[in-house]
Amino acid sequence: MNTKKILSICISAVLSVSLLAGCGGKSDSGNAGNSSKDSSKQTYAFIAKDVQNPYMKKVYEGFEKACKEINVTPLYKGPESATPEKQIEIINQLIAQNVSGIAIAANDADALQPALKEAMNAGIKVISLDSAVNAESRQTHIQQADPEKIGRGLIQAAHEMVKGEGGIAILSATAQATNQNLWIEWMQKELKEHPDKYGKTPLIKIAYGDDDPTKSTSETQALLTNSDVKVIIAPTTVGMLAAGKVLQDKKSKVLLTGLGLPSEMAPFIEDGTCPWMYLWNPVDIGYLAGFTMDSLKKGEITGVVGNTFKAGSLGEKAVTNAAGGGTEVMLGDPFKFDKNNIAEWKKVY
C-alpha cells in the first residue's frame, strides 16, 4: 500500500473518531434492517461492502435470521461507496457503541487492520465473510465456497461456452477485493496449467467495475470494442447484472458467465445471453456468520483449526485452515444455474 493511501486512511480514522465525539457517531452509513433496540441484548453488527448492494442485503437477511434465533440484536451498516476508508469510519462507530461482534465484507484486505485490531482489543469478536480481511484482522473467515473450484470452474465454463475458440475477458469488482482476486488467481492457474486446452481461449483483459452499476456498464461496453472477446466472466453479482443488460441491449453474440443472483439473472439465462452461471445461497452465508459469531462470543470456539460448532439449521461446521492464512469456516460448493432450474430458483433469491 503506498504512503498516500496509508495517510488517507489514517486521516479518515482520526476524523471519524472526531465526528463521534462531536456528532454522536452519525455517518453516511445505512441502517436498513436494524432490529428493535433492546438494551438487554447483545448487538452483532454486519458491515456490507456498500449499503445498497443487493447481494449484501441478501447476506444480511441470513445474518438477521440467525441473530433472531440466537436472541441478539442484529445491525446492518455499510458505506455509500465501496471504499475501505468509509468502512473504517463505521468500525470506529461500532467500537464506540460497544457492539459485541462485527462481521465484515471487506473492501480491502489490509487497510482495515488497525481499526479491526482495535475492535478485538476492546473485546469485540471480529469475523470476515464474502471478501476476507487478513488473518491478523479477524478471528476467522466465512468462506462461501472453495476458491479453487470457483476459479477453475468459471474458466472451464467459459471455454465450453465458446467451444474452445474465443478470447476471455473478466469483469471483476474492485482491484482490492480479496475474494475476486483469489478466484482470478485460480482462473489464471487453470489457463497456465493446461496450455493445450486453452490455446485458443486466451485471457485478454481483466476489467474492474468497482461493484458500481454505472462503471460496470461502461467497462463492459469497453470490453466489447475488442472483437477477440467472445465470453465475459463476471465473478460479482453487480458486474453480472450490468454486463447482462449491455449484452442484451446490444444483441451481442458475446456470452456471459460468472456469479449472479438468480432473481436478477433469470432473463439473461432464459434468452441465452448467459447460458449458465454459479453462486451459493447468500442468505446461508449470513446465517452461518451469525452462528459463528455467537459461538465465538460464548467461548464455544476460538477460531482455531479443529473447532466445531452447531450452526443452526446448517448443522455442524468446522474451523479449517484458510488458503490465504488464518482460518475459515466453509459453507459448501457453488451451485450451477441454467435454463433447467432458473425458473425455480429465481423465486428464492
Side-chain angles (χ1 to χ4, degrees):
M1 186 183 301
N2 61 41
T3 304
K4 288 183 178 179
K5 187 170 182 181
I6 292 173
L7 180 60
S8 172
I9 290 172
C10 290
I11 290 171
S12 176
V14 171
L15 286 174
S16 68
V17 172
S18 300
L19 285 168
L20 282 170
C23 305
K26 185 178 180 181
S27 80
D28 64 345
S29 59
N31 294 299
N34 290 1
S35 293
S36 59
K37 296 179 181 179
D38 182 349
S39 60
S40 67
K41 288 184 179 181
Q42 297 183 94
T43 297
Y44 294 167
F46 170 63
I47 304 177
K49 286 182 176 180
D50 65 270
V51 73
Q52 298 300 333
N53 187 312
Y55 177 84
M56 291 284 106
K57 290 181 179 180
K58 286 294 180 182
V59 174
Y60 179 71
E61 280 184 26
F63 187 80
E64 183 179 40
K65 179 182 178 183
C67 287
K68 288 180 178 178
E69 290 181 16
I70 296 162
N71 196 30
V72 298
T73 300
L75 181 64
Y76 183 59
K77 290 283 189 177
E80 292 295 333
S81 57
T83 67
E85 292 84 0
K86 291 298 183 181
Q87 285 190 320
I88 288 170
E89 292 180 12
I90 294 170
I91 294 166
N92 287 331
Q93 293 169 20
L94 295 174
I95 293 171
Q97 292 174 31
N98 195 31
V99 298
S100 298
I102 295 173
I104 185 165
N107 286 324
D108 190 292
D110 301 315
L112 307 179
Q113 181 171 327
L116 291 176
K117 289 192 79 170
E118 183 180 346
M120 289 188 287
N121 289 337
I124 298 171
K125 300 302 179 184
V126 174
I127 63 175
S128 56
L129 69 161
D130 184 65
S131 183
V133 293
N134 65 42
E136 300 299 316
S137 305
R138 68 182 198 242
Q139 261 105 22
T140 193
H141 173 67
I142 307 302
Q143 184 66 267
Q144 51 267 57
D146 185 340
E148 179 176 359
K149 289 182 180 180
I150 295 170
R152 291 187 187 274
L154 289 174
I155 284 293
Q156 291 163 4
H159 178 272
E160 185 177 343
M161 285 179 185
V162 297
K163 297 179 173 58
E165 293 190 14
I168 299 170
I170 297 172
L171 176 63
S172 190
T174 67
Q176 296 79 33
T178 54
N179 52 344
Q180 273 92 2
N181 288 343
L182 186 55
W183 299 331
I184 291 170
E185 283 181 23
W186 282 110
M187 293 184 211
Q188 293 171 321
K189 285 182 181 179
E190 174 71 12
L191 291 168
K192 184 177 180 180
E193 290 172 6
H194 304 282
D196 293 338
K197 177 178 179 179
Y198 298 108
K200 295 182 180 180
T201 52
L203 177 58
I204 293 174
K205 184 175 181 180
I206 302 173
Y208 297 96
D210 292 347
D211 261 354
D212 176 78
T214 301
K215 186 173 182 184
S216 296
T217 297
S218 62
E219 290 292 338
T220 303
Q221 292 168 339
L223 290 175
L224 294 182
T225 63
N226 188 328
S227 60
D228 292 331
V229 173
K230 301 301 181 185
V231 58
I232 296 173
I233 298 173
T236 158
T237 58
V238 176
M240 277 287 279
L241 181 59
K245 288 179 178 178
V246 171
L247 295 174
Q248 192 179 68
D249 290 346
K250 291 182 175 293
K251 296 180 172 56
S252 174
K253 293 183 179 180
V254 173
L255 298 173
L256 175 66
T257 190
L259 306 174
L261 288 169
S263 58
E264 292 182 339
M265 294 303 296
F268 310 106
I269 289 177
E270 290 164 352
D271 75 359
T273 301
C274 173
W276 67 87
M277 66 174 194
Y278 301 89
L279 199 63
W280 38 85
N281 190 333
V283 177
D284 284 348
I285 295 174
Y287 186 82
L288 178 56
F291 274 94
T292 304
M293 179 81 73
D294 197 55
S295 294
L296 283 166
K297 187 62 182 176
K298 290 175 178 175
E300 296 170 352
I301 64 172
T302 58
V304 300
V305 174
N307 284 167
T308 60
F309 63 100
K310 180 74 185 306
S313 60
L314 295 176
E316 188 170 279
K317 291 292 180 179
V319 180
T320 59
N321 280 313
T327 65
E328 65 185 17
V329 180
M330 184 78 71
L331 177 62
D333 290 334
F335 186 80
K336 181 179 179 179
F337 300 94
D338 58 21
K339 286 183 178 179
N340 294 321
N341 60 20
I342 194 63
E344 173 189 355
W345 284 101
K346 69 182 182 182
K347 301 173 185 176
V348 180
Y349 66 95

Coordinates of all heavy atoms in Angstrom, one line a residue, residues 86-120:
K86 N -14.4 4.4 4.2 CA -15.7 4.6 4.8 C -16.0 3.4 5.8 O -16.7 3.6 6.8 CB -16.7 4.6 3.7 CG -16.7 5.9 2.9 CD -17.0 7.1 3.7 CE -17.0 8.4 2.9 NZ -17.2 9.6 3.7
Q87 N -15.5 2.2 5.4 CA -15.7 1.1 6.4 C -15.0 1.3 7.7 O -15.5 0.9 8.7 CB -15.2 -0.2 5.7 CG -16.2 -0.7 4.7 CD -15.8 -2.1 4.2 OE1 -14.7 -2.5 4.0 NE2 -16.9 -3.0 4.0
I88 N -13.8 2.0 7.6 CA -13.1 2.3 8.9 C -13.9 3.2 9.8 O -14.0 3.0 11.0 CB -11.7 2.9 8.5 CG1 -10.8 1.9 8.0 CG2 -11.1 3.6 9.8 CD1 -9.5 2.4 7.4
E89 N -14.6 4.2 9.1 CA -15.4 5.1 9.9 C -16.5 4.3 10.7 O -16.8 4.6 11.8 CB -16.1 6.1 9.0 CG -15.1 7.1 8.4 CD -15.8 8.2 7.5 OE1 -17.0 8.2 7.5 OE2 -15.1 8.9 6.8
I90 N -17.1 3.4 9.9 CA -18.2 2.6 10.5 C -17.6 1.7 11.7 O -18.3 1.6 12.7 CB -18.9 1.7 9.5 CG1 -19.6 2.6 8.5 CG2 -19.9 0.7 10.1 CD1 -20.1 1.9 7.2
I91 N -16.5 1.1 11.5 CA -15.9 0.2 12.5 C -15.6 1.1 13.8 O -16.0 0.6 14.9 CB -14.5 -0.4 12.1 CG1 -14.8 -1.4 10.9 CG2 -13.8 -1.1 13.2 CD1 -13.5 -1.7 10.2
N92 N -15.1 2.3 13.6 CA -14.9 3.2 14.8 C -16.2 3.5 15.5 O -16.3 3.6 16.7 CB -14.2 4.4 14.3 CG -12.7 4.2 14.0 OD1 -12.1 3.3 14.5 ND2 -12.2 4.9 13.1
Q93 N -17.3 3.7 14.7 CA -18.6 4.0 15.3 C -19.0 2.8 16.2 O -19.5 2.9 17.3 CB -19.6 4.2 14.2 CG -19.4 5.5 13.5 CD -20.3 5.6 12.2 OE1 -21.3 4.9 12.2 NE2 -19.9 6.4 11.3
L94 N -18.8 1.6 15.6 CA -19.3 0.4 16.3 C -18.5 0.1 17.6 O -19.0 -0.4 18.6 CB -19.2 -0.8 15.4 CG -20.2 -0.7 14.2 CD1 -20.0 -1.9 13.2 CD2 -21.6 -0.7 14.6
I95 N -17.2 0.4 17.5 CA -16.4 0.3 18.8 C -16.9 1.2 19.8 O -17.1 0.9 21.0 CB -14.9 0.7 18.4 CG1 -14.3 -0.4 17.5 CG2 -14.1 0.7 19.7 CD1 -12.9 0.0 17.0
A96 N -17.3 2.5 19.4 CA -17.8 3.4 20.4 C -19.2 3.0 20.9 O -19.5 3.2 22.1 CB -17.9 4.8 19.7
Q97 N -19.9 2.3 20.1 CA -21.2 1.8 20.5 C -21.1 0.5 21.4 O -22.1 0.0 21.9 CB -22.1 1.5 19.3 CG -22.5 2.7 18.5 CD -23.2 2.3 17.2 OE1 -23.9 1.3 17.2 NE2 -23.1 3.2 16.2
N98 N -19.9 -0.1 21.4 CA -19.6 -1.3 22.2 C -20.5 -2.5 21.8 O -21.1 -3.2 22.6 CB -19.8 -1.0 23.7 CG -19.2 -2.1 24.6 OD1 -18.2 -2.7 24.2 ND2 -19.8 -2.3 25.7
V99 N -20.5 -2.7 20.5 CA -21.2 -3.9 20.0 C -20.5 -5.1 20.4 O -19.3 -5.1 20.8 CB -21.4 -3.8 18.5 CG1 -22.2 -2.6 18.0 CG2 -20.0 -3.9 17.8
S100 N -21.1 -6.2 20.4 CA -20.5 -7.5 20.8 C -19.7 -8.2 19.7 O -18.8 -9.0 20.0 CB -21.6 -8.4 21.4 OG -22.2 -7.9 22.5
G101 N -20.1 -8.0 18.5 CA -19.4 -8.6 17.4 C -19.6 -7.8 16.1 O -20.5 -7.1 15.9
I102 N -18.6 -8.0 15.2 CA -18.6 -7.4 13.9 C -18.3 -8.4 12.8 O -17.3 -9.1 12.9 CB -17.5 -6.2 13.8 CG1 -17.9 -5.1 14.7 CG2 -17.4 -5.7 12.3 CD1 -16.8 -4.0 14.8
A103 N -19.2 -8.5 11.9 CA -18.9 -9.4 10.7 C -18.8 -8.4 9.5 O -19.7 -7.6 9.3 CB -20.1 -10.3 10.5
I104 N -17.7 -8.5 8.7 CA -17.5 -7.5 7.7 C -17.1 -8.2 6.4 O -16.3 -9.1 6.3 CB -16.4 -6.5 8.1 CG1 -16.2 -5.4 7.1 CG2 -15.0 -7.2 8.4 CD1 -15.4 -4.2 7.6
A105 N -17.7 -7.7 5.3 CA -17.3 -8.0 3.9 C -16.4 -6.9 3.5 O -16.8 -5.8 3.2 CB -18.5 -8.1 3.0
A106 N -15.1 -7.2 3.4 CA -14.1 -6.1 3.4 C -13.9 -5.6 2.0 O -13.9 -6.3 1.0 CB -12.7 -6.7 3.8
N107 N -13.6 -4.3 1.9 CA -13.3 -3.6 0.7 C -11.8 -3.5 0.5 O -11.3 -3.1 -0.6 CB -13.9 -2.2 0.7 CG -15.4 -2.2 0.4 OD1 -15.9 -3.0 -0.3 ND2 -16.1 -1.3 1.1
D108 N -11.0 -3.9 1.5 CA -9.5 -4.1 1.4 C -9.1 -5.0 2.4 O -9.5 -4.9 3.6 CB -8.9 -2.7 1.5 CG -7.4 -2.7 1.2 OD1 -6.6 -3.3 1.9 OD2 -7.0 -2.1 0.2
A109 N -8.2 -5.9 2.1 CA -7.8 -7.0 3.0 C -6.9 -6.4 4.1 O -6.9 -6.9 5.2 CB -7.0 -8.1 2.2
D110 N -6.1 -5.4 3.8 CA -5.1 -4.9 4.8 C -5.5 -3.6 5.5 O -5.1 -3.3 6.6 CB -3.8 -4.8 4.2 CG -3.3 -6.1 3.6 OD1 -3.4 -7.2 4.3 OD2 -2.8 -6.2 2.5
A111 N -6.2 -2.7 4.7 CA -6.4 -1.3 5.2 C -7.2 -1.3 6.5 O -7.1 -0.3 7.2 CB -7.1 -0.5 4.1
L112 N -8.1 -2.3 6.7 CA -8.9 -2.3 7.9 C -8.3 -2.8 9.1 O -8.9 -2.7 10.2 CB -10.2 -3.1 7.6 CG -11.0 -2.8 6.3 CD1 -12.2 -3.7 6.2 CD2 -11.4 -1.3 6.3
Q113 N -7.0 -3.3 9.0 CA -6.4 -4.0 10.1 C -6.3 -3.1 11.4 O -6.7 -3.6 12.5 CB -5.0 -4.5 9.7 CG -4.3 -5.2 10.9 CD -3.0 -5.9 10.4 OE1 -2.9 -6.3 9.3 NE2 -2.0 -5.9 11.3
P114 N -5.8 -1.9 11.4 CA -5.7 -1.1 12.6 C -7.0 -1.0 13.3 O -7.1 -1.1 14.6 CB -5.2 0.3 12.2 CG -4.4 0.0 10.9 CD -5.2 -1.1 10.2
A115 N -8.1 -0.7 12.6 CA -9.4 -0.5 13.2 C -10.0 -1.8 13.7 O -10.5 -1.8 14.8 CB -10.4 0.1 12.2
L116 N -9.8 -2.9 13.0 CA -10.3 -4.1 13.5 C -9.5 -4.7 14.6 O -10.1 -5.3 15.5 CB -10.4 -5.2 12.3 CG -11.4 -4.9 11.2 CD1 -11.3 -5.9 10.1 CD2 -12.8 -4.9 11.8
K117 N -8.2 -4.5 14.7 CA -7.5 -4.9 15.8 C -7.9 -4.1 17.1 O -7.9 -4.6 18.2 CB -6.0 -4.7 15.5 CG -5.4 -5.7 14.5 CD -3.9 -5.7 14.5 CE -3.3 -6.5 15.6 NZ -1.9 -6.7 15.4
E118 N -8.2 -2.8 16.9 CA -8.7 -2.0 18.0 C -10.0 -2.6 18.5 O -10.2 -2.7 19.7 CB -8.9 -0.6 17.6 CG -9.3 0.3 18.7 CD -9.5 1.8 18.3 OE1 -9.1 2.2 17.2 OE2 -10.2 2.5 19.0
A119 N -10.9 -3.0 17.6 CA -12.1 -3.6 18.0 C -11.9 -4.9 18.8 O -12.5 -5.1 19.8 CB -13.0 -3.9 16.7
M120 N -11.0 -5.8 18.3 CA -10.7 -7.0 19.0 C -10.1 -6.7 20.4 O -10.4 -7.4 21.4 CB -9.8 -7.9 18.2 CG -10.5 -8.5 17.0 SD -9.6 -9.8 16.1 CE -8.4 -8.7 15.3

